[in-house]
Amino acid sequence: MKPILVWFRRDLRVDDHAALYHAARTGAPLVPLFIFDTNLIRRLPSDGAVFDFQAEALRDLGKNLRALGGALTTRRGSVLEVHRRILHELQPAALYYNRDYEPVATERDRRVDQLYRSAGVEVRTFKDSVLHEPSEVLTGSGRPYVVFTPFSNTWKKLSHPSPLGKPQHIIPFPLPSAGILGSSELRKKVLIVEPVAEGGEQMALRRWNRFLQTSLDVYARGRDLPGADGTSKLSPSLRFGCISPRRVLDDCLKVLEEASPDIRASIGKFVDELIWREFYQAVLFHLPRLRESNYREEFEKMPWKFDEKKFKAWKEGRTGYPLVDAGMRQLNRTGWMHNRVRMVVASFLTKDLMHDWRLGEGYFEEKLMDIETASNNGGWQWSAATGVDPKPLRIFNPTLQSERYDPEGNYIREFVPELRKVPAKFIHAPSAIPPTLQKELGVLVGKDYPLPIVHHAEASARYKEQFRRVKEKYRS
Ligand SMILES: Cc1cc2nc3c(=O)[nH]c(=O)nc-3n(C[C@H](O)[C@H](O)[C@H](O)COP(=O)(O)OP(=O)(O)OC[C@H]3O[C@@H](n4cnc5c(N)ncnc54)[C@H](O)[C@@H]3O)c2cc1C
């Protein structure tokens, strides 16, 4: 019997994996395949920690496939070339895979489909990485949404697919394999010293279950406090598909059944975040030009500035604004940053420093373990006020945000050790510490910790003026 090729990409698990589940049900022998796309990897600026996360996830996938009787085949090379060789080598009965909605991926997949179909091989693709695909959540007139709330309302009305579970058994069809490549084999530097999460299905489930038991019920309050460990930190696992959104939603709905109104509100907030993830995937799918350009076209004329020293200070977390600095250092150290702080650092770069959002997007691409092109692009364009779902101009005040969301300064102290001894009263604006107290605390502002690199109120006024001019010019 000819085998079915199951191509794994951003879905590194065996539980609730649509392509694997349906392939196993045919009773044919399976070749589970993962390709290290060396052309892509060479071009990616990512920190090597992401590739180590992927390698951990692949090792776990290999183990889980073996437990079902199967074996993971890995190959290295350009995707189309690898498929050409496999097609020749294997002559499979069919190619099965789960769909990806990123513009680069859809183009790649179109070519791969063509290759197999022109050789008479069946290609079956499945919905898997989202609960509802971009083509399913449309306005009444069949158009894509560019505002979150109506997208979310339509999304919620659709009936949600249930998890499929694991295949009972896989009939193996062994092929030579290239092994699993991590950062050292791919010659990528690892600068992230404390990765936020370990890759793999088991680790993702463990993290998810802990969050379900300890934090989901208070998510509505906890999600905004960067010092509180109040969010799931599931994003790298969702990105690499170590857990499925179907499984996550299904567990949420089970808790919802018996929940009090407070807990229901928390679950509702959490589900909204899953919907934001799908909203941004849909937006980029329908408007691939946003990868390069502003949704609001007037911003093409925005006179962004570039100051190498200030950009470096932002990247390294040395801006003199403790919440911004803590966020950037959290990113550099762990490959993850709390959502509220992502919004604050992005507002600071684009509005206080008036740097093009694409610079920040690029730096996040290098560092984030959960790097998801659509969410990153959406988050940056939202923060820069250039994107979909336009809001009135909002500029985050980094000091007020710090006072409101990290009142005791615990988050700041964790990531900015030179401020560890600074009392809560001064931690949000260390330049206001009286000189005698600075000496007592052993932190001289301007020497041990930087003075603010920009005056927030003045910078905001400058930005607002530029914003007004750009809009005026666009109208005329
Ligand atoms: C400038 C900027 C860049 C961002 N870049 C990314 C990125 O590259 N990858 C990424 O996954 N998220 C990105 N986000 C969204 C968000 O910050 C992260 O998803 C979230 O912090 C992940 O932490 P968590 O898993 O604990 O989230 P939780 O609060 O536990 O949320 C659960 C899941 O919902 C999704 N989610 C939550 N918030 C958002 C959001 N605002 N937009 C889209 N999806 C969301 C994530 O998959 C997350 O794992 C970005 C946000 C901003 C402002």
Side-chain angles (χ1 to χ4, degrees):
M1 196 174 187
K2 280 187 173 182
I4 294 178
L5 190 59
V6 183
W7 181 22
F8 284 77
R9 298 113 61 84
R10 43 173 303 157
D11 43 10
L12 306 182
R13 63 175 189 282
V14 295
D15 174 54
D16 187 31
H17 184 290
L20 179 69
Y21 177 85
H22 289 291
R25 275 169 65 101
T26 63
L30 304 188
V31 177
L33 170 75
F34 181 85
I35 302 171
F36 293 93
D37 182 354
T38 40
N39 288 342
L40 184 71
I41 290 164
R42 219 171 292 128
R43 285 202 309 272
L44 282 180
S46 316
D47 188 292
V50 172
F51 297 103
D52 287 339
F53 182 96
Q54 180 178 270
E56 286 156 9
L58 283 166
R59 277 193 286 274
D60 195 49
L61 174 65
K63 197 177 83 192
N64 294 334
L65 286 167
R66 274 197 302 280
L68 296 173
L72 178 66
T73 296
T74 63
R75 292 287 167 98
R76 176 185 189 155
S78 101
V79 164
L80 209 59
E81 264 318 299
V82 171
H83 274 295
R84 243 186 225 117
R85 269 182 268 127
I86 292 228
L87 178 61
H88 181 73
E89 204 179 319
L90 194 69
Q91 298 291 321
L95 167 71
Y96 281 32
Y97 66 85
N98 294 322
R99 290 190 279 275
D100 187 331
Y101 311 98
E102 270 184 27
V104 175
T106 49
E107 177 52 25
R108 174 201 63 198
D109 295 347
R110 195 186 56 75
R111 290 176 185 208
V112 171
D113 292 0
Q114 211 171 24
L115 175 76
Y116 282 89
R117 287 196 173 122
S118 62
V121 176
E122 182 198 8
V123 177
R124 285 192 66 192
T125 68
F126 301 86
K127 169 165 86 171
D128 187 81
S129 70
V130 292
L131 286 138
H132 301 299
E133 297 190 297
S135 57
E136 292 176 305
V137 193
L138 297 169
T139 65
S141 55
R143 297 180 64 79
Y145 287 104
V146 287
V147 176
F148 175 74
T149 306
F151 175 92
S152 158
N153 291 339
T154 302
W155 189 100
K156 285 176 185 164
K157 282 184 201 139
L158 298 173
S159 70
H160 305 310
S162 301
L164 298 164
K166 269 186 218 174
Q168 300 262 306
H169 178 65
I170 293 172
I171 302 170
F173 192 99
L175 273 194
S177 185
I180 288 170
L181 313 179
S183 58
S184 52
E185 294 87 353
L186 296 169
R187 299 215 191 105
K188 290 278 177 183
K189 266 198 200 144
V190 178
L191 298 171
I192 287 162
V193 289
E194 281 174 34
V196 61
E198 224 178 285
E201 195 166 348
Q202 215 180 335
M203 297 310 289
L205 268 181
R206 195 175 295 167
R207 178 174 290 281
W208 171 235
N209 285 328
R210 202 183 60 205
F211 174 75
L212 269 178
Q213 281 154 22
T214 62
S215 308
L216 178 62
D217 57 343
V218 288
Y219 180 78
R221 261 186 299 125
R223 66 193 267 269
D224 263 326
L225 307 174
D229 198 19
T231 70
S232 69
K233 291 190 178 150
L234 211 58
S235 48
S237 305
L238 280 166
R239 165 64 187 84
F240 285 91
C242 302
I243 191 164
S244 77
R246 281 185 295 262
R247 173 73 55 213
V248 171
L249 183 71
D250 195 60
D251 286 348
C252 287
L253 297 180
K254 278 184 197 142
V255 180
L256 195 70
E257 276 168 19
E258 308 207 331
S260 66
D262 271 7
I263 297 177
R264 292 178 81 87
S266 271
I267 298 171
K269 281 271 176 228
F270 184 79
V271 172
D272 278 350
E273 299 306 334
L274 298 177
I275 305 175
W276 271 105
R277 176 177 172 270
E278 302 202 357
F279 173 61
Y280 282 139
Q281 295 209 25
V283 166
L284 195 63
F285 176 82
H286 292 295
L287 296 167
R289 73 168 179 86
L290 299 192
R291 185 70 182 97
E292 310 293 337
S293 59
N294 300 292
Y295 173 71
R296 297 169 71 167
E297 284 166 10
E298 63 266 38
F299 276 90
E300 296 302 329
K301 296 206 170 74
M302 182 76 172
W304 301 109
K305 297 187 185 349
F306 182 69
D307 178 324
E308 203 169 334
K309 259 189 169 165
K310 286 190 174 136
F311 186 48
K312 187 165 183 280
W314 177 81
K315 288 196 287 189
E316 292 177 352
R318 303 197 184 284
T319 66
Y321 285 93
L323 187 64
V324 174
D325 293 343
M328 294 308 293
R329 295 194 207 180
Q330 180 179 35
L331 175 65
N332 294 331
R333 197 164 107 191
T334 70
W336 183 87
M337 195 195 299
H338 189 276
N339 180 58
R340 168 126 321 253
V341 193
R342 290 188 205 204
M343 295 191 289
V344 173
V345 304
S347 171
F348 187 82
L349 183 71
T350 54
K351 289 161 183 163
D352 291 57
L353 301 184
M354 272 196 64
H355 280 44
D356 192 328
W357 57 268
R358 283 161 279 223
L359 289 167
E361 183 196 32
Y363 190 64
F364 273 27
E365 255 167 38
E366 266 176 56
K367 292 286 168 187
L368 279 175
M369 304 278 295
D370 62 22
I371 185 65
E372 176 97 65
T373 305
S375 298
N376 197 34
N377 182 275
W380 273 98
Q381 293 228 37
W382 184 91
S383 303
T386 63
V388 291
D389 201 357
K391 295 268 182 296
L393 179 60
R394 185 193 295 165
I395 302 178
F396 283 97
N397 178 324
T399 312
L400 291 184
Q401 289 284 313
S402 182
E403 287 168 357
R404 190 170 303 154
Y405 296 109
D406 188 28
E408 295 306 314
N410 295 334
Y411 173 72
I412 291 170
R413 284 192 200 89
E414 185 178 350
F415 292 103
V416 187
E418 59 270 37
L419 298 180
R420 211 161 262 166
K421 290 191 189 146
V422 174
K425 182 175 167 202
F426 291 113
I427 200 153
H428 311 288
S431 54
I433 309 175
T436 46
L437 185 59
Q438 291 189 23
K439 270 195 199 143
E440 250 174 66
L441 297 169
V443 52
L444 299 182
V445 179
K447 182 169 171 277
D448 303 314
Y449 180 73
L451 283 161
I453 59 169
V454 67
H455 186 283
H456 173 70
E458 288 169 11
S460 300
R462 264 197 308 273
Y463 182 85
K464 279 182 191 155
E465 178 54 22
Q466 269 311 340
F467 187 80
R468 192 188 58 73
R469 278 195 208 159
V470 161
K471 291 197 83 163
E472 229 172 58
K473 234 196 228 167
Y474 186 70
R475 259 187 240 121
S476 61

